[in-house]
PDB file of all heavy atoms in Angstrom:
ATOM      1  N   ALA A  69      11.292   9.934   5.673  1.00 88.00           N
ATOM      2  CA  ALA A  69      10.236   9.008   5.295  1.00 88.00           C
ATOM      3  C   ALA A  69      10.737   8.138   4.156  1.00 88.00           C
ATOM      4  O   ALA A  69      11.661   8.507   3.436  1.00 88.00           O
ATOM      5  CB  ALA A  69       8.980   9.772   4.870  1.00 88.00           C
ATOM      6  N   VAL A  70      10.130   6.973   4.017  1.00 91.00           N
ATOM      7  CA  VAL A  70      10.414   6.084   2.887  1.00 91.00           C
ATOM      8  C   VAL A  70       9.093   5.810   2.172  1.00 91.00           C
ATOM      9  O   VAL A  70       8.035   5.795   2.798  1.00 91.00           O
ATOM     10  CB  VAL A  70      11.081   4.762   3.331  1.00 91.00           C
ATOM     11  CG1 VAL A  70      12.464   5.013   3.875  1.00 91.00           C
ATOM     12  CG2 VAL A  70      10.243   4.023   4.358  1.00 91.00           C
ATOM     13  N   GLN A  71       9.189   5.626   0.868  1.00 93.00           N
ATOM     14  CA  GLN A  71       7.995   5.324   0.104  1.00 93.00           C
ATOM     15  C   GLN A  71       8.312   4.313  -0.982  1.00 93.00           C
ATOM     16  O   GLN A  71       9.445   4.222  -1.435  1.00 93.00           O
ATOM     17  CB  GLN A  71       7.357   6.585  -0.475  1.00 93.00           C
ATOM     18  CG  GLN A  71       8.169   7.315  -1.498  1.00 93.00           C
ATOM     19  CD  GLN A  71       8.936   8.496  -0.925  1.00 93.00           C
ATOM     20  OE1 GLN A  71       8.968   8.722   0.261  1.00 93.00           O
ATOM     21  NE2 GLN A  71       9.569   9.246  -1.808  1.00 93.00           N
ATOM     22  N   ALA A  72       7.286   3.574  -1.363  1.00 96.00           N
ATOM     23  CA  ALA A  72       7.410   2.590  -2.437  1.00 96.00           C
ATOM     24  C   ALA A  72       6.064   2.467  -3.129  1.00 96.00           C
ATOM     25  O   ALA A  72       5.014   2.704  -2.520  1.00 96.00           O
ATOM     26  CB  ALA A  72       7.850   1.240  -1.887  1.00 96.00           C
ATOM     27  N   GLY A  73       6.102   2.106  -4.388  1.00 97.00           N
ATOM     28  CA  GLY A  73       4.859   1.960  -5.122  1.00 97.00           C
ATOM     29  C   GLY A  73       5.092   1.458  -6.524  1.00 97.00           C
ATOM     30  O   GLY A  73       6.155   0.922  -6.851  1.00 97.00           O
ATOM     31  N   ALA A  74       4.087   1.656  -7.357  1.00 98.00           N
ATOM     32  CA  ALA A  74       4.142   1.206  -8.743  1.00 98.00           C
ATOM     33  C   ALA A  74       3.400   2.207  -9.613  1.00 98.00           C
ATOM     34  O   ALA A  74       2.577   2.988  -9.135  1.00 98.00           O
ATOM     35  CB  ALA A  74       3.511  -0.174  -8.877  1.00 98.00           C
ATOM     36  N   GLY A  75       3.730   2.168 -10.873  1.00 97.00           N
ATOM     37  CA  GLY A  75       3.078   3.061 -11.820  1.00 97.00           C
ATOM     38  C   GLY A  75       3.100   2.475 -13.209  1.00 97.00           C
ATOM     39  O   GLY A  75       3.644   1.395 -13.444  1.00 97.00           O
ATOM     40  N   VAL A  76       2.505   3.209 -14.117  1.00 96.00           N
ATOM     41  CA  VAL A  76       2.474   2.768 -15.504  1.00 96.00           C
ATOM     42  C   VAL A  76       2.515   4.004 -16.406  1.00 96.00           C
ATOM     43  O   VAL A  76       1.921   5.026 -16.105  1.00 96.00           O
ATOM     44  CB  VAL A  76       1.226   1.894 -15.796  1.00 96.00           C
ATOM     45  CG1 VAL A  76      -0.067   2.678 -15.626  1.00 96.00           C
ATOM     46  CG2 VAL A  76       1.302   1.265 -17.170  1.00 96.00           C
ATOM     47  N   HIS A  77       3.293   3.899 -17.482  1.00 93.00           N
ATOM     48  CA  HIS A  77       3.279   4.900 -18.542  1.00 93.00           C
ATOM     49  C   HIS A  77       2.319   4.397 -19.613  1.00 93.00           C
ATOM     50  O   HIS A  77       2.431   3.264 -20.076  1.00 93.00           O
ATOM     51  CB  HIS A  77       4.656   5.064 -19.187  1.00 93.00           C
ATOM     52  CG  HIS A  77       5.683   5.695 -18.306  1.00 93.00           C
ATOM     53  ND1 HIS A  77       5.575   6.981 -17.835  1.00 93.00           N
ATOM     54  CD2 HIS A  77       6.848   5.223 -17.826  1.00 93.00           C
ATOM     55  CE1 HIS A  77       6.627   7.275 -17.092  1.00 93.00           C
ATOM     56  NE2 HIS A  77       7.417   6.210 -17.065  1.00 93.00           N
ATOM     57  N   LEU A  78       1.374   5.229 -19.999  1.00 94.00           N
ATOM     58  CA  LEU A  78       0.476   4.933 -21.115  1.00 94.00           C
ATOM     59  C   LEU A  78       1.000   5.726 -22.303  1.00 94.00           C
ATOM     60  O   LEU A  78       0.843   6.946 -22.369  1.00 94.00           O
ATOM     61  CB  LEU A  78      -0.960   5.333 -20.772  1.00 94.00           C
ATOM     62  CG  LEU A  78      -1.978   5.267 -21.906  1.00 94.00           C
ATOM     63  CD1 LEU A  78      -2.100   3.845 -22.429  1.00 94.00           C
ATOM     64  CD2 LEU A  78      -3.311   5.795 -21.440  1.00 94.00           C
ATOM     65  N   ASN A  79       1.690   5.039 -23.196  1.00 93.00           N
ATOM     66  CA  ASN A  79       2.312   5.698 -24.341  1.00 93.00           C
ATOM     67  C   ASN A  79       1.253   6.038 -25.381  1.00 93.00           C
ATOM     68  O   ASN A  79       0.590   5.165 -25.925  1.00 93.00           O
ATOM     69  CB  ASN A  79       3.386   4.796 -24.950  1.00 93.00           C
ATOM     70  CG  ASN A  79       4.571   4.671 -24.035  1.00 93.00           C
ATOM     71  OD1 ASN A  79       5.139   5.670 -23.619  1.00 93.00           O
ATOM     72  ND2 ASN A  79       4.929   3.444 -23.695  1.00 93.00           N
ATOM     73  N   LEU A  80       1.103   7.322 -25.653  1.00 92.00           N
ATOM     74  CA  LEU A  80       0.157   7.797 -26.653  1.00 92.00           C
ATOM     75  C   LEU A  80       0.815   7.888 -28.026  1.00 92.00           C
ATOM     76  O   LEU A  80       0.136   7.783 -29.053  1.00 92.00           O
ATOM     77  CB  LEU A  80      -0.391   9.161 -26.230  1.00 92.00           C
ATOM     78  CG  LEU A  80      -1.052   9.175 -24.845  1.00 92.00           C
ATOM     79  CD1 LEU A  80      -1.413  10.592 -24.434  1.00 92.00           C
ATOM     80  CD2 LEU A  80      -2.257   8.259 -24.810  1.00 92.00           C
ATOM     81  N   SER A  81       2.123   8.092 -28.017  1.00 90.00           N
ATOM     82  CA  SER A  81       2.932   8.094 -29.236  1.00 90.00           C
ATOM     83  C   SER A  81       4.359   7.751 -28.796  1.00 90.00           C
ATOM     84  O   SER A  81       4.616   7.647 -27.603  1.00 90.00           O
ATOM     85  CB  SER A  81       2.879   9.471 -29.928  1.00 90.00           C
ATOM     86  OG  SER A  81       3.681  10.401 -29.240  1.00 90.00           O
ATOM     87  N   PRO A  82       5.303   7.592 -29.712  1.00 87.00           N
ATOM     88  CA  PRO A  82       6.677   7.305 -29.281  1.00 87.00           C
ATOM     89  C   PRO A  82       7.289   8.422 -28.431  1.00 87.00           C
ATOM     90  O   PRO A  82       8.235   8.212 -27.698  1.00 87.00           O
ATOM     91  CB  PRO A  82       7.436   7.138 -30.597  1.00 87.00           C
ATOM     92  CG  PRO A  82       6.403   6.660 -31.561  1.00 87.00           C
ATOM     93  CD  PRO A  82       5.150   7.398 -31.162  1.00 87.00           C
ATOM     94  N   ARG A  83       6.764   9.643 -28.478  1.00 90.00           N
ATOM     95  CA  ARG A  83       7.312  10.759 -27.696  1.00 90.00           C
ATOM     96  C   ARG A  83       6.389  11.258 -26.587  1.00 90.00           C
ATOM     97  O   ARG A  83       6.823  12.003 -25.713  1.00 90.00           O
ATOM     98  CB  ARG A  83       7.634  11.935 -28.612  1.00 90.00           C
ATOM     99  CG  ARG A  83       8.801  11.692 -29.512  1.00 90.00           C
ATOM    100  CD  ARG A  83       9.253  12.997 -30.132  1.00 90.00           C
ATOM    101  NE  ARG A  83      10.513  12.861 -30.812  1.00 90.00           N
ATOM    102  CZ  ARG A  83      11.680  13.080 -30.249  1.00 90.00           C
ATOM    103  NH1 ARG A  83      11.757  13.434 -29.005  1.00 90.00           N
ATOM    104  NH2 ARG A  83      12.788  12.940 -30.940  1.00 90.00           N
ATOM    105  N   LEU A  84       5.130  10.920 -26.577  1.00 93.00           N
ATOM    106  CA  LEU A  84       4.154  11.454 -25.630  1.00 93.00           C
ATOM    107  C   LEU A  84       3.545  10.328 -24.805  1.00 93.00           C
ATOM    108  O   LEU A  84       3.134   9.310 -25.364  1.00 93.00           O
ATOM    109  CB  LEU A  84       3.053  12.204 -26.385  1.00 93.00           C
ATOM    110  CG  LEU A  84       1.955  12.841 -25.555  1.00 93.00           C
ATOM    111  CD1 LEU A  84       2.516  14.006 -24.740  1.00 93.00           C
ATOM    112  CD2 LEU A  84       0.823  13.315 -26.455  1.00 93.00           C
ATOM    113  N   ASP A  85       3.512  10.505 -23.484  1.00 93.00           N
ATOM    114  CA  ASP A  85       2.860   9.510 -22.639  1.00 93.00           C
ATOM    115  C   ASP A  85       2.181  10.180 -21.452  1.00 93.00           C
ATOM    116  O   ASP A  85       2.447  11.331 -21.122  1.00 93.00           O
ATOM    117  CB  ASP A  85       3.841   8.429 -22.166  1.00 93.00           C
ATOM    118  CG  ASP A  85       4.864   8.914 -21.172  1.00 93.00           C
ATOM    119  OD1 ASP A  85       4.493   9.514 -20.147  1.00 93.00           O
ATOM    120  OD2 ASP A  85       6.068   8.686 -21.398  1.00 93.00           O
ATOM    121  N   MET A  86       1.290   9.437 -20.849  1.00 96.00           N
ATOM    122  CA  MET A  86       0.681   9.820 -19.577  1.00 96.00           C
ATOM    123  C   MET A  86       1.180   8.831 -18.534  1.00 96.00           C
ATOM    124  O   MET A  86       1.327   7.642 -18.833  1.00 96.00           O
ATOM    125  CB  MET A  86      -0.844   9.766 -19.645  1.00 96.00           C
ATOM    126  CG  MET A  86      -1.453  10.847 -20.507  1.00 96.00           C
ATOM    127  SD  MET A  86      -3.249  10.848 -20.450  1.00 96.00           S
ATOM    128  CE  MET A  86      -3.541  11.394 -18.789  1.00 96.00           C
ATOM    129  N   SER A  87       1.437   9.328 -17.341  1.00 96.00           N
ATOM    130  CA  SER A  87       1.924   8.472 -16.259  1.00 96.00           C
ATOM    131  C   SER A  87       0.918   8.460 -15.124  1.00 96.00           C
ATOM    132  O   SER A  87       0.357   9.505 -14.759  1.00 96.00           O
ATOM    133  CB  SER A  87       3.259   8.991 -15.715  1.00 96.00           C
ATOM    134  OG  SER A  87       4.241   8.946 -16.703  1.00 96.00           O
ATOM    135  N   PHE A  88       0.722   7.294 -14.553  1.00 97.00           N
ATOM    136  CA  PHE A  88      -0.136   7.107 -13.389  1.00 97.00           C
ATOM    137  C   PHE A  88       0.676   6.316 -12.372  1.00 97.00           C
ATOM    138  O   PHE A  88       1.220   5.257 -12.701  1.00 97.00           O
ATOM    139  CB  PHE A  88      -1.394   6.325 -13.758  1.00 97.00           C
ATOM    140  CG  PHE A  88      -2.174   6.937 -14.882  1.00 97.00           C
ATOM    141  CD1 PHE A  88      -1.950   6.560 -16.188  1.00 97.00           C
ATOM    142  CD2 PHE A  88      -3.118   7.917 -14.624  1.00 97.00           C
ATOM    143  CE1 PHE A  88      -2.660   7.117 -17.233  1.00 97.00           C
ATOM    144  CE2 PHE A  88      -3.839   8.496 -15.661  1.00 97.00           C
ATOM    145  CZ  PHE A  88      -3.610   8.093 -16.971  1.00 97.00           C
ATOM    146  N   ALA A  89       0.770   6.826 -11.149  1.00 97.00           N
ATOM    147  CA  ALA A  89       1.551   6.128 -10.122  1.00 97.00           C
ATOM    148  C   ALA A  89       0.863   6.268  -8.775  1.00 97.00           C
ATOM    149  O   ALA A  89       0.194   7.264  -8.490  1.00 97.00           O
ATOM    150  CB  ALA A  89       2.970   6.689 -10.039  1.00 97.00           C
ATOM    151  N   GLY A  90       1.049   5.261  -7.963  1.00 97.00           N
ATOM    152  CA  GLY A  90       0.578   5.283  -6.582  1.00 97.00           C
ATOM    153  C   GLY A  90       1.678   4.742  -5.694  1.00 97.00           C
ATOM    154  O   GLY A  90       2.411   3.832  -6.084  1.00 97.00           O
ATOM    155  N   GLN A  91       1.823   5.344  -4.529  1.00 96.00           N
ATOM    156  CA  GLN A  91       2.837   4.864  -3.589  1.00 96.00           C
ATOM    157  C   GLN A  91       2.375   5.098  -2.164  1.00 96.00           C
ATOM    158  O   GLN A  91       1.510   5.933  -1.905  1.00 96.00           O
ATOM    159  CB  GLN A  91       4.181   5.518  -3.853  1.00 96.00           C
ATOM    160  CG  GLN A  91       4.184   7.022  -3.855  1.00 96.00           C
ATOM    161  CD  GLN A  91       5.529   7.565  -4.269  1.00 96.00           C
ATOM    162  OE1 GLN A  91       6.559   7.118  -3.810  1.00 96.00           O
ATOM    163  NE2 GLN A  91       5.522   8.562  -5.145  1.00 96.00           N
ATOM    164  N   TYR A  92       2.951   4.347  -1.255  1.00 94.00           N
ATOM    165  CA  TYR A  92       2.643   4.483   0.162  1.00 94.00           C
ATOM    166  C   TYR A  92       3.878   5.026   0.859  1.00 94.00           C
ATOM    167  O   TYR A  92       4.994   4.561   0.609  1.00 94.00           O
ATOM    168  CB  TYR A  92       2.257   3.128   0.767  1.00 94.00           C
ATOM    169  CG  TYR A  92       1.733   3.260   2.171  1.00 94.00           C
ATOM    170  CD1 TYR A  92       0.469   3.780   2.401  1.00 94.00           C
ATOM    171  CD2 TYR A  92       2.505   2.885   3.260  1.00 94.00           C
ATOM    172  CE1 TYR A  92      -0.016   3.913   3.692  1.00 94.00           C
ATOM    173  CE2 TYR A  92       2.033   3.018   4.551  1.00 94.00           C
ATOM    174  CZ  TYR A  92       0.759   3.534   4.755  1.00 94.00           C
ATOM    175  OH  TYR A  92       0.286   3.673   6.026  1.00 94.00           O
ATOM    176  N   MET A  93       3.690   6.025   1.726  1.00 90.00           N
ATOM    177  CA  MET A  93       4.799   6.661   2.436  1.00 90.00           C
ATOM    178  C   MET A  93       4.655   6.415   3.936  1.00 90.00           C
ATOM    179  O   MET A  93       3.583   6.612   4.504  1.00 90.00           O
ATOM    180  CB  MET A  93       4.815   8.163   2.163  1.00 90.00           C
ATOM    181  CG  MET A  93       5.886   8.910   2.936  1.00 90.00           C
ATOM    182  SD  MET A  93       5.837  10.690   2.643  1.00 90.00           S
ATOM    183  CE  MET A  93       6.662  10.752   1.060  1.00 90.00           C
ATOM    184  N   ILE A  94       5.752   5.978   4.557  1.00 87.00           N
ATOM    185  CA  ILE A  94       5.809   5.779   6.009  1.00 87.00           C
ATOM    186  C   ILE A  94       6.807   6.772   6.576  1.00 87.00           C
ATOM    187  O   ILE A  94       7.945   6.854   6.117  1.00 87.00           O
ATOM    188  CB  ILE A  94       6.236   4.344   6.366  1.00 87.00           C
ATOM    189  CG1 ILE A  94       5.211   3.340   5.863  1.00 87.00           C
ATOM    190  CG2 ILE A  94       6.428   4.200   7.867  1.00 87.00           C
ATOM    191  CD1 ILE A  94       5.614   1.900   6.065  1.00 87.00           C
ATOM    192  N   HIS A  95       6.367   7.541   7.572  1.00 82.00           N
ATOM    193  CA  HIS A  95       7.241   8.520   8.218  1.00 82.00           C
ATOM    194  C   HIS A  95       8.059   7.863   9.320  1.00 82.00           C
ATOM    195  O   HIS A  95       7.545   7.052  10.083  1.00 82.00           O
ATOM    196  CB  HIS A  95       6.418   9.670   8.788  1.00 82.00           C
ATOM    197  CG  HIS A  95       5.760  10.482   7.732  1.00 82.00           C
ATOM    198  ND1 HIS A  95       6.402  11.511   7.087  1.00 82.00           N
ATOM    199  CD2 HIS A  95       4.540  10.398   7.167  1.00 82.00           C
ATOM    200  CE1 HIS A  95       5.602  12.025   6.197  1.00 82.00           C
ATOM    201  NE2 HIS A  95       4.457  11.372   6.214  1.00 82.00           N
ATOM    202  N   LEU A  96       9.326   8.228   9.395  1.00 82.00           N
ATOM    203  CA  LEU A  96      10.234   7.720  10.416  1.00 82.00           C
ATOM    204  C   LEU A  96      10.639   8.891  11.303  1.00 82.00           C
ATOM    205  O   LEU A  96      10.828   9.999  10.822  1.00 82.00           O
ATOM    206  CB  LEU A  96      11.474   7.113   9.766  1.00 82.00           C
ATOM    207  CG  LEU A  96      11.205   6.074   8.681  1.00 82.00           C
ATOM    208  CD1 LEU A  96      12.484   5.724   7.974  1.00 82.00           C
ATOM    209  CD2 LEU A  96      10.551   4.850   9.274  1.00 82.00           C
ATOM    210  N   GLY A  97      10.782   8.653  12.569  1.00 78.00           N
ATOM    211  CA  GLY A  97      11.190   9.733  13.469  1.00 78.00           C
ATOM    212  C   GLY A  97      10.082  10.146  14.407  1.00 78.00           C
ATOM    213  O   GLY A  97       9.012   9.540  14.459  1.00 78.00           O
ATOM    214  N   LYS A  98      10.338  11.184  15.151  1.00 79.00           N
ATOM    215  CA  LYS A  98       9.412  11.635  16.184  1.00 79.00           C
ATOM    216  C   LYS A  98       8.255  12.425  15.588  1.00 79.00           C
ATOM    217  O   LYS A  98       8.407  13.140  14.618  1.00 79.00           O
ATOM    218  CB  LYS A  98      10.155  12.505  17.193  1.00 79.00           C
ATOM    219  CG  LYS A  98      11.238  11.774  17.926  1.00 79.00           C
ATOM    220  CD  LYS A  98      11.969  12.693  18.867  1.00 79.00           C
ATOM    221  CE  LYS A  98      13.087  11.928  19.556  1.00 79.00           C
ATOM    222  NZ  LYS A  98      13.883  12.785  20.407  1.00 79.00           N
ATOM    223  N   GLU A  99       7.100  12.289  16.206  1.00 81.00           N
ATOM    224  CA  GLU A  99       5.926  13.076  15.857  1.00 81.00           C
ATOM    225  C   GLU A  99       5.739  14.152  16.919  1.00 81.00           C
ATOM    226  O   GLU A  99       6.036  13.946  18.095  1.00 81.00           O
ATOM    227  CB  GLU A  99       4.676  12.191  15.811  1.00 81.00           C
ATOM    228  CG  GLU A  99       4.703  11.145  14.727  1.00 81.00           C
ATOM    229  CD  GLU A  99       4.586  11.746  13.337  1.00 81.00           C
ATOM    230  OE1 GLU A  99       3.890  12.763  13.174  1.00 81.00           O
ATOM    231  OE2 GLU A  99       5.220  11.202  12.420  1.00 81.00           O
ATOM    232  N   ILE A 100       5.253  15.302  16.521  1.00 83.00           N
ATOM    233  CA  ILE A 100       4.992  16.396  17.453  1.00 83.00           C
ATOM    234  C   ILE A 100       3.491  16.465  17.694  1.00 83.00           C
ATOM    235  O   ILE A 100       2.703  16.496  16.758  1.00 83.00           O
ATOM    236  CB  ILE A 100       5.491  17.743  16.898  1.00 83.00           C
ATOM    237  CG1 ILE A 100       7.000  17.696  16.658  1.00 83.00           C
ATOM    238  CG2 ILE A 100       5.133  18.876  17.851  1.00 83.00           C
ATOM    239  CD1 ILE A 100       7.536  18.927  15.963  1.00 83.00           C
ATOM    240  N   GLY A 101       3.110  16.497  18.967  1.00 82.00           N
ATOM    241  CA  GLY A 101       1.711  16.636  19.346  1.00 82.00           C
ATOM    242  C   GLY A 101       1.516  17.875  20.196  1.00 82.00           C
ATOM    243  O   GLY A 101       2.480  18.498  20.649  1.00 82.00           O
ATOM    244  N   THR A 102       0.269  18.252  20.414  1.00 86.00           N
ATOM    245  CA  THR A 102      -0.035  19.423  21.231  1.00 86.00           C
ATOM    246  C   THR A 102      -1.099  19.094  22.262  1.00 86.00           C
ATOM    247  O   THR A 102      -1.936  18.207  22.055  1.00 86.00           O
ATOM    248  CB  THR A 102      -0.541  20.595  20.364  1.00 86.00           C
ATOM    249  OG1 THR A 102      -1.711  20.182  19.659  1.00 86.00           O
ATOM    250  CG2 THR A 102       0.503  21.067  19.387  1.00 86.00           C
ATOM    251  N   ASP A 103      -1.054  19.795  23.375  1.00 88.00           N
ATOM    252  CA  ASP A 103      -2.075  19.753  24.422  1.00 88.00           C
ATOM    253  C   ASP A 103      -2.312  21.175  24.887  1.00 88.00           C
ATOM    254  O   ASP A 103      -1.396  22.011  24.859  1.00 88.00           O
ATOM    255  CB  ASP A 103      -1.605  18.931  25.632  1.00 88.00           C
ATOM    256  CG  ASP A 103      -1.584  17.441  25.350  1.00 88.00           C
ATOM    257  OD1 ASP A 103      -2.495  16.961  24.651  1.00 88.00           O
ATOM    258  OD2 ASP A 103      -0.647  16.780  25.820  1.00 88.00           O
ATOM    259  N   VAL A 104      -3.525  21.453  25.327  1.00 89.00           N
ATOM    260  CA  VAL A 104      -3.837  22.749  25.914  1.00 89.00           C
ATOM    261  C   VAL A 104      -4.215  22.511  27.375  1.00 89.00           C
ATOM    262  O   VAL A 104      -5.157  21.769  27.658  1.00 89.00           O
ATOM    263  CB  VAL A 104      -4.989  23.457  25.168  1.00 89.00           C
ATOM    264  CG1 VAL A 104      -5.338  24.781  25.841  1.00 89.00           C
ATOM    265  CG2 VAL A 104      -4.617  23.683  23.712  1.00 89.00           C
TER     266      VAL A 104
END
C-alpha cells in the first residue's frame, strides 16, 4: 500500500510537542473475497 498526508506539530515547549496527522492509504494488489 502507499499513503500520503499532512500533519502538524504543536510545540508546547522547545522539547515537548503534540503531533496531529492525517493520511490516506491506497492498497495495491489482489483482494481476497469469499462466497458460500
